[in-house]
Amino acid sequence: MNSIENGEQNKEREGRMSLSLSNSIPLLTPYQLGPFTLSHRVVLAPLTRQRSYDCMPQAHAILYYSQRASPGGLLIAEATGVSPTAQGYPNTPGIWSEEQVEAWKPIVKSVHDKGAVFFCQIWHTGRASHVEYQPNGQTPVSSTNKSISGQTLRANGKDLVQFSPPRALTTDEIPQIVDDFCIAARNARAAGFDGVEIHGAHGYLIDQFLKDSINDRSDCYGGTLENCCRFALEVVEAVANEIGADRVGIRLSPFASYLESSDSNPEALGLYMAEALNKYNILYAHYVEPRMVTVGESFPTEKSLLPMRKAFKGSFLVAGGYNREDGNAAIDSGKADLVVYGRLFLANPDLPRRFELNATVNKYNRETFYIPDPVIGYTDYPFL
């Protein structure tokens, strides 16, 4: 009896110590994200893992996501196609069919069973594709007819091939793409996701409209900053109307040049979007930092997300090569409300706990990021 009482007292004391420690670490302070009460501010980034065979979420994702779920944590699922035309990489999931919705359900439940909040990133690759990924081998769609000059993986996941020349969407086709995002958002909610993040970053379809290095249109979807942002904002408005604005976020990367997606004035683009998004009262904006990130190193620039942070009225998320120290500094300074971690969270399923204890972190293995193995480089990274 005494040993039990002493054990309970020790647990209570350890709990108080842990709470005290957490409260001194900005990343581990609570945050109210709209209707969601978060216990910490360490967010799992949407990370493409290429382990959803034939565009179908697999049972091994249950362990992967539940490993990284913690009570009151926020996870954003990997980029998930909104339609059969949205695909551009091997073994990436979709959420356009009832079968896919059913496959996502146990994955989402496993995250909720751990007490975490789970959003689904909805995605269209646009011209970052190849005819092998398209229904009936049709031409990928984009804002433009211009091709990406580099190579991509063939559908076999092994061989490289040139990106296929895209076809510019006609004005009257665009509403169907907007509707595809709405259907995907509705399906995400049916699968149990708490909300969706619209993928507007890194050179994919929405970014292909946003960036003036790609968008060469002369209709109402191109030519001016307002017109280039029109498609993105139409998607945001439609999805917010479909599932509720307090369940919608968007990811943007105005400074990035992935897939030849640079912009001549990224500061103006990022600020315009931040201000325009306020009209729709969405839950959050997720901006990628204006710094180049290479293997093992990050190089800060003089450019800043601060004007966008000040302009946007909702919750502001930042991503891009953060570690424990600069993540804490971002929260402590008010630069961000939440910090999004990719490679660190991939390699450390217990990342919030490691941050709490200032423990050593596992090193990630880049060579296993995209292999189709259901375990290696996926669910085999060790916990503390």
Side-chain angles (χ1 to χ4, degrees):
M1 189 173 190
N2 288 336
S3 62
I4 294 174
E5 290 175 351
N6 290 338
E8 292 301 320
Q9 290 170 357
N10 287 338
K11 286 181 181 179
E12 184 179 353
R13 184 162 54 250
E14 288 170 2
R16 288 197 300 268
M17 289 173 63
S18 178
L19 181 61
S20 175
L21 180 62
S22 299
N23 286 340
S24 67
I25 302 171
L27 281 168
L28 300 181
T29 55
Y31 182 73
Q32 191 66 36
L33 180 67
F36 308 107
T37 300
L38 304 182
S39 61
H40 62 79
R41 304 179 188 225
V42 181
V43 180
L44 174 67
L47 300 168
T48 293
R49 303 311 315 275
Q50 294 185 6
R51 288 165 167 87
S52 297
Y53 316 133
D54 297 321
C55 304
M56 190 64 59
Q58 300 293 313
H60 47 248
I62 294 172
L63 179 58
Y64 172 73
Y65 282 112
S66 65
Q67 282 180 335
R68 286 153 184 81
S70 58
L74 171 62
L75 281 64
I76 307 172
E78 60 207 277
T80 302
V82 300
S83 72
T85 70
Q87 301 304 104
Y89 296 94
N91 299 319
T92 54
I95 197 160
W96 63 82
S97 73
E98 182 59 35
E99 188 179 9
Q100 289 164 335
V101 170
E102 291 303 312
W104 273 115
K105 283 182 178 180
I107 303 169
V108 177
K109 181 179 183 300
S110 72
V111 171
H112 285 160
D113 285 348
K114 296 286 285 289
V117 177
F118 203 13
F119 271 50
C120 180
Q121 188 187 69
I122 51 178
W123 184 42
H124 196 302
T125 64
R127 70 173 186 165
S129 187
H130 186 269
V131 293
E132 287 188 1
Y133 295 101
Q134 297 298 309
N136 304 313
Q138 67 192 43
T139 302
V141 297
S142 180
S143 64
T144 180
N145 293 321
K146 295 184 297 185
S147 300
I148 301 172
S149 62
Q151 293 182 310
T152 188
L153 275 174
R154 294 188 61 183
N156 63 18
K158 299 177 182 178
D159 303 320
L160 292 173
V161 65
Q162 290 293 126
F163 285 101
S164 294
R167 175 181 66 81
L169 287 160
T170 62
T171 304
D172 59 2
E173 287 178 308
I174 289 177
Q176 178 58 57
I177 304 295
V178 174
D179 193 49
D180 288 340
F181 276 90
C182 284
I183 293 169
R186 187 190 318 149
N187 286 345
R189 291 289 289 133
F193 283 103
D194 298 291
V196 300
E197 176 178 281
I198 297 164
H199 197 341
H202 294 159
Y204 298 113
L205 182 60
I206 290 175
D207 209 27
Q208 291 160 27
F209 279 83
L210 291 172
K211 300 289 183 61
D212 61 14
S213 69
I214 303 173
N215 190 335
D216 56 1
R217 304 175 74 95
S218 57
D219 61 6
C220 64
Y221 290 96
T224 66
L225 180 57
E226 179 182 5
N227 284 350
C228 288
C229 295
R230 187 181 306 278
F231 173 59
L233 294 173
E234 286 181 352
V235 172
V236 168
E237 180 177 25
V239 170
N241 288 338
E242 182 68 36
I243 65 169
D246 61 352
R247 295 184 180 274
V248 178
I250 187 170
R251 192 181 211 201
L252 299 168
S253 60
F255 296 94
S257 58
Y258 298 103
L259 299 170
E260 301 171 359
S261 65
S262 60
D263 191 82
S264 63
N265 193 342
E267 294 92 341
L269 172 60
L271 184 59
Y272 181 90
M273 283 296 294
E275 292 172 339
L277 288 168
N278 289 327
K279 175 181 178 182
Y280 308 106
N281 296 312
I282 62 172
L283 182 64
Y284 70 77
H286 174 185
Y287 274 75
V288 179
E289 283 285 355
R291 55 185 176 186
M292 181 176 65
V293 178
T294 60
V295 179
E297 295 183 296
S298 63
F299 300 89
T301 72
E302 295 179 357
K303 303 179 188 298
S304 173
L305 295 178
L306 194 56
M308 292 136 233
R309 199 287 192 259
K310 290 180 177 178
F312 184 67
K313 295 178 182 178
S315 294
F316 199 78
L317 284 61
V318 296
Y322 276 90
N323 57 28
R324 181 181 186 271
E325 289 70 33
D326 56 13
N328 279 324
I331 300 300
D332 196 42
S333 67
K335 177 182 179 180
D337 297 307
L338 304 168
V339 180
V340 184
Y341 290 86
R343 290 164 293 183
L344 268 185
F345 221 148
L346 178 156
N348 296 273
D350 52 353
L351 188 63
R353 178 64 172 163
R354 289 176 188 261
F355 282 173
E356 179 183 356
L357 300 176
N358 199 15
T360 302
V361 295
N362 301 321
K363 294 181 179 179
Y364 54 82
N365 181 0
R366 189 179 295 274
E367 293 181 359
T368 62
F369 281 179
Y370 306 116
I371 65 173
D373 194 282
V375 176
I376 297 173
Y378 192 57
T379 56
D380 60 347
Y381 282 104
F383 287 74
L384 281 172

